[in-house]
Amino acid sequence: MATQKEEEQGHKGAKHEGGGFWHLFGRAALSVVLGIVLAFLLPTRFGEEMGAQTMARYAAPFSGYLFDREREKAVDKEQSDWHGKSITVLVIDAEVLAACKEGWPAHYPFYSWLLGYLNKFPPKGVFIDVILSQSKGQDAAKPKKPNKPECIDETVKPGPHKTLEDSDFNDFKNGVMRLTSHGIPVFLAARRTTENTLTTNPDLDSDHDLKNLRRVGIEFSAHSVDRLAWTYPLVYPKDESASKQTQSTEQTAHAMPEQPGTSEGDCPRSAAFAIFKDVYSGKLDVPCDRAAFMSVTWPLDTAAYGLRWRESMDEEREERHGFWPRVDSGDDDEEMYCTSSEDQIRLLLRAEARAFLRPLSRPLCVHYRTIHASRLPKQMGDGLNVGAPKDTELSDPELSDAFRGRFVMIGTSFAYSNDLVLSPLQDRIPGVFLHAAALDNLLSDHSDLEDVEAWELKFKMPVTRWVKILLLGGIGFIGFFIIVSIKKKVRKVFAEFHHERTHWRKRFHPHWWVAKSITASFNIALLAISLAVLVSFGVAMILLGAGMHVPFLVVAHILACAIAVEWLEWSEHLFNWITDSKEK
């Protein structure tokens, strides 16, 4: 009787076993809820987690692949329209400076030489991603002949807009004005002052003709955790200029009070956004009462004529060359810093392999056609070049195809400079390619800020954003429910398999050790497989979020938190504690 009574009391005090379906339902729902809650709390307390950045890197190749596919469909429908949206990058490399016996920063005659090619093959527009900080060097009124770089052809007869007696500065000015006189807009990279105006240098800003050129902002801040270029600024409001101002007092002393795009009710625009509005008449409206950033999707496809960098002799190269297997073998030029292919699926696999483990592959080559200034013919005639060009030089037909009717961005291409950005696909590349990628994103039929803005999770958000987050949360719940159910089924099958082998229960018997080893292997395998499945599901959710115009870092952060909760099974333990139950 006493034993029976104790058993009854014991059963009354024991935790009841939860129903299978409702236990799984509550566990999956708790994983999603905890993921959203932690995504709100962690950024404000601990900063962005590396888990979210890792998820975003895994999704970046797929986002680039889908971006390219959508563009291909648009190009097929409107072939002529998309020709004008093509971007060519003209990079100033160390080789051309050496050939011209120029230092850095280069002098005005060097830029006059570059602009000569653009005047010969008129582009749709020009952006000079170099802050021209040098002074005139001499007064324009003096007829003294300036020192010309050796890459300039002294035998060329002066055209209608230039004389050999002009100063270096006037030579450059004439080259710019010749472009603008033919309706070709020219954009100059500029610095922001404490008054939130954009300036280049006193000579350019005080010149009556050149002061009307559009100055554009090039300030950019990489992500604080992985330093990758995930976002791009659109406008620079005045109320944030003081905290971000890093320019010297010498530059701010010559600030012009009036600059294009900084009138009342307006504010400085970034390079890509200004080009999108002024050249392509973009309808995207961005208020200037706060800083606005866009999410950047880096295209996956590689250019046939891209950045001609050689592989650096660094630690990563040594690690990669001693690593097997590699997925980027078989390229025509194994000495290139990057890998390229005409097969986008192959590029997708290589980019994904590198995101998983860097030594598996080199970064992808750049997406935009790149012309190195060192490959321009040193002496430019009025007509076609006489004779065959050198092997390293481009012919007039090639230059015409690269420049004419396309938007040209001029930047630097020095392997070791401060004008470099980190792309999730191309790794370290010149900063001018970030402006190209941002403009490319804006040209993809975006007419609403909600389509491109890189916003963060906040309790005070528009209803539309809450609806998107909750909808993604509902879809995420279904996915977690399925994953949790499969994990439970697999564990149940293994438990039955283990229970049937009664000879495994005798302690310290050889069979007991075998059972322990099999159980440990099963748990490790289940942990690894479940992580892979959760990460794959997370990548799919990021791509779905991108289709709903939810910034990928927002989705990645929620998923990173939710996956951590589910993978470590915190949700199961917490749900059991809340309901005072245990899973069957």
Side-chain angles (χ1 to χ4, degrees):
M1 293 293 294
T3 304
Q4 182 179 359
K5 186 176 181 180
E6 290 175 359
E7 290 178 354
E8 290 177 356
Q9 292 176 348
H11 286 302
K12 290 179 181 180
K15 295 181 179 180
H16 66 277
E17 294 185 350
F21 174 79
W22 290 110
H23 189 281
L24 295 176
F25 183 93
R27 176 178 167 184
L30 194 58
S31 295
V32 175
V33 171
L34 286 177
I36 296 177
V37 171
L38 290 177
F40 273 105
L41 297 179
L42 286 179
T44 58
R45 294 188 179 183
F46 306 103
E48 290 283 350
E49 290 186 332
M50 279 304 298
Q53 315 310 314
T54 301
M55 290 290 299
R57 284 199 300 272
Y58 288 155
F62 292 96
S63 297
Y65 175 77
L66 296 177
F67 182 84
D68 288 339
R69 293 299 300 269
E70 290 298 323
R71 195 219 321 268
E72 288 176 2
K73 295 178 181 178
V75 172
D76 291 339
K77 292 180 180 179
E78 302 175 357
Q79 184 71 38
S80 59
D81 180 61
W82 273 90
H83 176 82
K85 296 181 180 180
S86 298
I87 300 171
T88 296
V89 177
L90 174 59
V91 291
I92 302 170
D93 49 5
E95 290 77 9
V96 72
L97 294 180
C100 295
K101 294 187 177 180
E102 266 280 7
W104 188 257
H107 297 87
Y108 284 113
F110 177 79
Y111 293 103
S112 302
W113 173 63
L114 293 181
L115 293 177
Y117 283 100
L118 300 182
N119 276 305
K120 186 176 182 181
F121 311 106
K124 188 178 186 65
V126 178
F127 165 48
I128 302 178
D129 186 27
V130 179
I131 296 181
L132 304 174
S133 58
Q134 65 272 34
S135 61
K136 292 182 180 180
Q138 64 180 28
D139 190 83
K142 296 180 180 180
K144 181 180 177 180
K145 184 177 178 180
N147 294 325
K148 302 287 185 182
E150 291 194 358
C151 56
I152 305 299
D153 185 6
E154 296 286 356
T155 64
V156 177
K157 297 181 180 180
H161 296 275
K162 118 178 183 179
T163 63
L164 293 178
E165 289 76 20
D166 283 339
S167 69
D168 293 349
F169 181 80
N170 279 353
D171 219 13
F172 169 77
K173 174 183 174 179
N174 290 334
V176 173
M177 298 309 297
R178 184 179 176 187
L179 287 170
T180 57
S181 66
H182 288 85
I184 301 172
V186 177
F187 299 81
L188 300 180
R191 296 186 178 95
R192 276 201 303 159
T193 68
T194 54
E195 292 81 14
N196 203 38
T197 57
L198 294 171
T199 64
T200 51
N201 68 59
D203 295 329
L204 286 172
D205 295 337
S206 61
D207 187 271
H208 176 73
D209 296 317
L210 297 182
K211 68 183 297 184
N212 293 324
L213 297 180
R214 166 72 82 171
R215 270 71 170 171
V216 294
I218 56 173
E219 292 182 13
F220 162 75
S221 296
H223 194 275
S224 58
V225 175
D226 56 17
R227 311 306 301 169
L228 293 182
W230 293 113
T231 61
Y232 183 84
L234 295 174
V235 295
Y236 304 100
K238 187 174 183 179
D239 57 355
E240 293 192 5
S241 62
S243 60
K244 295 183 178 180
Q245 181 64 31
T246 58
Q247 308 306 326
S248 64
T249 56
E250 179 183 358
Q251 293 162 346
T252 59
H254 301 288
M256 295 296 296
E258 296 181 0
Q259 292 294 339
T262 58
S263 59
E264 184 178 357
D266 200 355
C267 56
R269 295 172 179 170
S270 64
F273 186 53
I275 295 169
F276 175 69
K277 294 285 288 185
D278 296 350
V279 178
Y280 298 96
S281 302
K283 298 179 181 179
L284 181 65
D285 294 323
V286 181
C288 288
D289 57 344
R290 60 182 177 85
F293 301 85
M294 64 175 289
S295 295
V296 177
T297 299
W298 290 88
L300 180 75
D301 195 16
T302 55
Y305 304 96
L307 196 60
R308 296 164 62 89
W309 276 1
R310 294 296 176 182
E311 196 171 19
S312 301
M313 300 294 292
D314 53 18
E315 294 182 2
E316 182 178 329
R317 177 185 181 278
E318 294 299 325
E319 183 180 5
R320 185 165 55 245
H321 278 255
F323 197 85
W324 189 89
R326 284 177 53 188
V327 298
D328 63 338
S329 58
D331 287 351
D332 295 335
D333 194 346
E334 291 283 351
E335 296 181 358
M336 289 289 291
Y337 87 99
C338 60
T339 179
S340 180
S341 175
E342 295 182 357
D343 186 353
Q344 285 191 307
I345 298 298
R346 184 176 299 174
L347 292 175
L348 178 63
L349 295 176
R350 293 179 181 181
E352 198 63 37
R354 181 174 173 81
F356 177 73
L357 190 62
R358 290 176 66 89
L360 285 175
S361 174
R362 292 168 290 167
L364 299 187
C365 296
V366 295
H367 172 79
Y368 304 98
R369 181 167 187 171
T370 305
I371 301 296
H372 287 245
S374 59
R375 301 190 66 198
L376 297 176
K378 292 183 179 180
Q379 295 186 352
M380 180 180 59
D382 294 330
L384 294 175
N385 294 322
V386 179
K390 298 180 180 178
D391 293 338
T392 58
E393 292 181 354
L394 296 172
S395 64
D396 274 16
E398 291 174 318
L399 292 176
S400 178
D401 182 63
F403 294 151
R404 193 180 298 276
R406 307 178 190 274
F407 196 92
V408 177
M409 294 187 172
I410 303 176
T412 59
S413 175
F414 308 135
Y416 301 97
S417 73
N418 59 354
D419 188 22
L420 296 172
V421 298
L422 287 174
S423 157
L425 301 181
Q426 288 83 22
D427 205 65
R428 184 187 63 188
I429 52 176
V432 66
F433 288 99
L434 173 59
H435 302 294
L439 177 60
D440 199 5
N441 279 235
L442 290 171
L443 290 174
S444 299
D445 295 330
H446 292 299
S447 59
D448 196 307
L449 182 59
E450 189 70 20
D451 295 347
V452 299
E453 188 176 11
W455 46 270
E456 297 180 354
L457 281 177
K458 296 179 181 178
F459 288 104
K460 292 183 179 180
M461 292 191 304
V463 176
T464 55
R465 294 184 180 179
W466 271 112
V467 170
K468 292 178 181 179
I469 292 298
L470 294 177
L471 180 58
L472 284 174
I475 298 174
F477 160 74
I478 297 174
F480 276 109
F481 183 82
I482 295 173
I483 294 173
V484 168
S485 301
I486 294 175
K487 285 176 66 176
K488 179 186 176 182
K489 180 66 176 178
V490 171
R491 281 181 172 171
K492 182 179 179 181
V493 171
F494 180 78
E496 293 175 352
F497 169 79
H498 192 282
H499 184 72
E500 291 174 355
R501 282 147 180 80
T502 56
H503 59 284
W504 284 3
R505 302 176 187 175
K506 189 175 181 180
R507 283 183 174 275
F508 305 112
H509 191 274
H511 294 297
W512 183 81
W513 290 109
V514 171
K516 288 291 183 182
S517 302
I518 293 176
T519 302
S521 300
F522 169 79
N523 289 330
I524 293 173
L526 182 62
L527 196 69
I529 294 174
S530 63
L531 178 61
V533 172
L534 286 169
V535 170
S536 300
F537 172 70
V539 170
M541 288 293 294
I542 292 176
L543 298 178
L544 177 62
M548 298 170 59
H549 303 302
V550 179
F552 44 80
L553 286 185
V554 172
V555 185
H557 194 79
I558 294 176
L559 286 166
C561 297
I563 287 173
V565 168
E566 174 53 38
W567 185 57
L568 299 175
E569 299 185 348
W570 293 345
S571 59
E572 178 183 359
H573 300 311
L574 182 59
F575 183 78
N576 290 340
W577 178 77
I578 292 174
T579 60
D580 194 30
S581 64
K582 60 181 179 179
E583 186 180 1
K584 286 184 179 181

